[in-house]
Amino acid sequence: MCGAECSRCAKEVPEGLQIIEDRMTDISAEVVDELIKAVSMFPSMAREHDGYAVILEELDELWTEIKANKLPGVKQRMRKEAIQVAAMAMRFVFDVCDSLRKG
C-alpha cells in the first residue's frame, strides 16, 4: 500500500486517503487475527463446497444482524460478523484455491 508518499507514482497521498489507508490496515489486521483464530480452532476447508458452506453460515449471521438494525449494539455485531466473513473468504482462498493439493 501507499504510504504518506506513494513510491509508485511519486505523488503525495491526500490526507483523506491516508486516513482510509490507515483504517483499512487496522481492519485487515483484525481479519487476519480472526483467520488465525479460526485456523487454530477448526480443520481446513477440505473442498470448495465445505468452504462455501462456512462462508454462507457467516454471511447468514451477518444478515441476521443487518435485519436487527434497530437493536442496541447492532453496528458492533455487524462489524464482528463482517470481519468473520472476510476471514473465511481468506481461508477459502488459502485452503481451497492456493493449497498445495493437486487439482
Side-chain angles (χ1 to χ4, degrees), residues 83-98:
I83 295 287
Q84 291 175 350
V85 170
M88 292 306 96
M90 287 178 70
R91 183 153 193 196
F92 182 92
V93 170
F94 182 82
D95 286 352
V96 177
C97 302
D98 291 353

Side-chain angles (χ1 to χ4, degrees), residues 1 24-39 43-45 51-52 54-56 58 81-99 101:
M1 286 191 197
M24 287 298 129
T25 300
D26 294 343
I27 293 168
S28 296
E30 290 180 65
V31 172
V32 170
D33 288 346
E34 184 66 29
L35 174 60
I36 291 168
K37 181 175 141 187
V39 166
S44 296
M45 295 173 176
Y52 173 79
V54 170
I55 293 168
L56 184 59
E58 295 301 338
E81 295 302 337
I83 295 287
Q84 291 175 350
V85 170
M88 292 306 96
M90 287 178 70
R91 183 153 193 196
F92 182 92
V93 170
F94 182 82
D95 286 352
V96 177
C97 302
D98 291 353
S99 75
R101 296 180 301 222

